[in-house]
Amino acid sequence: MKRIALLGASGSIGTQTIDVILQHPDLFDLVSFGVGTRAETARNLLKQFPDVSLCAVKNETDALSLMKEFPDKTILYGEAGLKTIAESDYDVLVNALVGFAGFAPTLAAIESDHDVALANKESLVCGGELITRALALHGRTLIPIDSEHSAIFQCLQGNRMRQVKRLIITASGGSFRNRTREELDSVTVEEALAHPNWSMGAKITIDSATMMNKGFEVTEAHWLFGVPYEQIDVLMHPESIVHSMVEYVDKSVMAQMGSPDMRLPIQYALSWPDRLPLDEPPLDLAKAGTLHFSAPDTERFPLLALAYEAGMKGGNLSAVMNAANETANAAFRNHEIPFTMIEDIVIGAVHDAPYGPLKTPGDLYAADEWGGEYAAAKIRKLN
Ligand code: NAD
Ligand code: MG
C-alpha cells in the first residue's frame, strides 16, 4: 500500500489524482492533503478517506470551522500547513499546487527524505538548481506528472541516459495556435481558456496559449533529466497523441503515445516502475488517421524562445521569468491587461532583471519578488 500526501487536491490534477487513488484502493491510500479555498472539497475528502490524519487549507477561518467538524483530525492552514504536510509521514507527495507556492513544499518533502510525484512544474522552473541538489543529497526521486515529461521518462526506461542525443517535447500550440500575431491583440479571456485538447486549470491554460508553458517544460526537462538546453527541441503536434520523444545516439527515436488524459501520467507516477490498468478507451490510431508535426515559430511564440534564453543564461533568470509570468497571467485573467501584454511584461522582466546566482532559497525568493514586482508595476501603469 502506497501512502499518498496530495497538495492541490481540489484542482484539475488533484481531482484526477483522487480518481486514480479511488480506482486502486488496494494499492493507494490518501493520508494527508491540502486545498486552497475550497473548504467544501476538504470536507468531502475528510469524510471519504478515513485514513487522512492531516488536512491543510489556505485560510484560518476555513481551518477553524473544519477543526470543529472534525475534532479527531489535524487541520492546518497557510504556507506552514503545506510545509507540515510535506514533512509528515507518507510514501510519496503528489504536488499538484499551481505556481511558485509549490516550490517550498517540494523542497521540504525532499529534505525530509520523501519522493515527489511532480505536477507543479514551477518548482523546477524556478528552483531547479536547488531541487536537484537536494535530490542528490537525500537520494530521492522526482517522478514527473507533466504528460510530456512522463512520456520522456517512459521512453527512457531500460535505456541509458548517456546515450540520449535529444529530447523532443511535443506542443499542441494552445488555444490560439491558428491565429496570427495581429489577431492576438483582441482575444478574450474566455477564448484563451478554451484549450482545444486538454481540460486543465486556468493558469496553465493561459500559459499554453502564450506557449510560456512549453518554455517552462523545456526548463523542467533540463532539470529533471539533466540534459543541456541545446539538446532539447520542441515540435508542434496539434493532435496531442505523441506526448514526447527521446532520440538516442543510434538515431532511434522512442515515442510515447496515448489519448490526452492526465490520469495516465498521474497513475504511472504512482505505480512506476509497474503499470496498472486504466479505464480509458484504447488509442485508436486508425481513427486518428493522420498525425501532424511542424517546427515551432518562435517569432509567433516569443516566450518559448525566452525560456531557452533564460535557462541558458542560468542564475536567477528563470525564476524572474516565472514570477513575472505568474503576475501577468493573473492580470490577464482579471481583465486588467490585454493578452499580448503578458509577453511584453515577461520579456521585459527577464531582460531588465539584475542577473545573479541562485544558490540559496534566499536568492530564489528575492528573484521571485523582483519578477512579481516588476510585472505589478507595469500593470499599475496601465490601470
Ligand atoms: P488548478 O488551478 O486546477 O489547481 C491548483 C490547486 O492548487 C488547487 O487545489 C488550489 O486550491 C491549490 N492552490 C493554489 N494555490 C494555493 C496556495 N497558495 N495554498 C494552497 N493551495 C493552493 O491547477 P492544475 O491545472 O491542476 O495545475 C496544477 C499544476 O500542475 C500546475 O503547476 C500545472 O502547470 C501542472 N500541470 C497541470 C496539468 C493539467 O492537466 N491540469 C498538466 C500538466 C501540468
Ligand atoms: Mg505538459
Side-chain angles (χ1 to χ4, degrees):
M1 185 70 101
K2 203 171 253 184
R3 294 166 310 142
I4 295 168
L6 170 61
L7 298 181
S10 57
S12 161
I13 294 290
T15 48
Q16 294 181 84
T17 304
I18 297 289
D19 277 356
V20 168
I21 294 172
L22 287 172
Q23 287 214 7
H24 304 283
D26 48 330
L27 296 175
F28 305 135
D29 191 19
L30 187 72
V31 296
S32 56
F33 69 87
V35 300
T37 49
R38 298 223 180 110
E40 199 49 41
T41 307
R43 198 165 279 122
N44 293 338
L45 291 175
L46 283 163
K47 287 181 188 152
Q48 199 176 1
F49 291 93
D51 293 338
V52 166
S53 58
L54 295 175
C55 156
V57 290
K58 196 167 176 181
N59 305 318
E60 188 178 1
T61 348
D62 288 332
L64 291 173
S65 65
L66 288 168
M67 280 174 205
K68 278 193 199 130
E69 275 176 73
F70 301 92
D72 55 331
K73 310 281 184 191
T74 304
I75 312 289
L76 310 153
Y77 60 89
E79 278 174 32
L82 299 176
K83 188 156 181 273
T84 303
I85 289 185
E87 291 172 343
S88 65
D89 184 25
Y90 58 86
D91 297 316
V92 63
L93 172 75
V94 176
N95 187 341
L97 293 168
V98 62
F100 184 63
F103 168 78
T106 301
L107 190 65
I110 299 165
E111 288 184 336
S112 56
D113 295 311
H114 295 94
D115 293 336
V116 178
L118 189 73
N120 179 259
K121 63 187 84 189
E122 295 91 344
S123 284
L124 276 176
V125 170
C126 304
E129 205 169 327
L130 303 173
I131 286 171
T132 18
R133 199 198 302 152
L135 284 169
L137 205 64
H138 292 265
R140 287 292 146 186
T141 311
L142 205 57
I143 310 146
I145 285 182
D146 210 348
S147 59
E148 294 77 4
H149 305 75
S150 175
I152 291 169
F153 186 60
Q154 292 178 59
C155 294
L156 289 170
Q157 300 297 310
N159 289 292
R160 298 195 197 288
M161 211 53 231
R162 65 172 187 276
Q163 288 155 5
V164 168
K165 182 94 185 136
R166 201 158 57 108
L167 305 180
I168 304 162
I169 299 178
T170 54
S172 72
S175 318
F176 299 138
R177 62 192 184 191
N178 296 324
R179 307 225 190 179
T180 61
R181 276 208 72 79
E182 294 67 46
E183 286 171 323
L184 292 181
D185 285 333
S186 55
V187 291
T188 65
V189 175
E190 292 64 36
E191 288 171 317
L193 285 175
H195 194 286
N197 302 0
W198 298 94
S199 160
M200 309 182 284
K203 191 225 173 214
I204 186 178
T205 305
I206 303 302
D207 286 345
S208 300
T210 59
M211 273 186 88
M212 182 77 275
N213 180 57
K214 209 47 61 178
F216 284 167
E217 292 184 350
V218 168
T219 314
E220 185 185 6
H222 166 77
W223 291 112
L224 266 174
F225 305 112
V227 172
Y229 287 97
E230 294 79 2
Q231 285 164 252
I232 306 174
D233 285 349
V234 170
L235 184 66
M236 305 306 290
H237 169 45
E239 289 86 4
S240 298
I241 284 180
V242 175
H243 294 310
S244 277
M245 303 178 239
V246 177
E247 182 189 299
Y248 289 91
V249 284
D250 59 1
K251 305 289 171 342
S252 176
V253 177
M254 312 280 292
Q256 187 263 336
M257 293 192 267
S259 307
D261 181 343
M262 284 309 293
R263 291 176 312 151
L264 170 59
I266 294 168
Q267 178 174 289
Y268 187 70
L270 295 178
S271 69
W272 170 79
D274 281 318
R275 288 186 180 275
L276 297 171
L278 185 74
D279 72 333
E280 155 92 26
L283 175 63
D284 187 345
L285 282 176
K287 198 170 158 203
T290 313
L291 300 182
H292 296 83
F293 301 96
S294 61
D297 178 349
T298 48
E299 274 172 36
R300 165 66 180 74
F301 293 107
L303 293 186
L304 176 59
L306 187 77
Y308 275 97
E309 183 191 330
M312 285 176 180
K313 285 183 179 160
N316 57 2
L317 294 182
S318 295
V320 166
M321 173 179 76
N322 178 74
N325 178 67
E326 206 157 310
T327 303
N329 177 316
F332 170 68
R333 280 183 280 138
N334 288 336
H335 306 276
E336 292 167 50
I337 57 168
F339 181 76
T340 45
M341 185 91 187
I342 303 175
E343 291 173 350
D344 298 339
I345 290 174
V346 181
I347 293 169
V350 170
H351 290 161
D352 293 350
Y355 179 83
L358 205 154
K359 295 291 172 207
T360 66
D363 295 337
L364 175 55
Y365 287 102
D368 180 71
E369 206 179 310
W370 193 94
E373 257 312 306
Y374 179 96
K378 296 274 176 204
I379 295 159
R380 274 197 301 273
K381 254 192 199 162
L382 264 193
N383 290 283

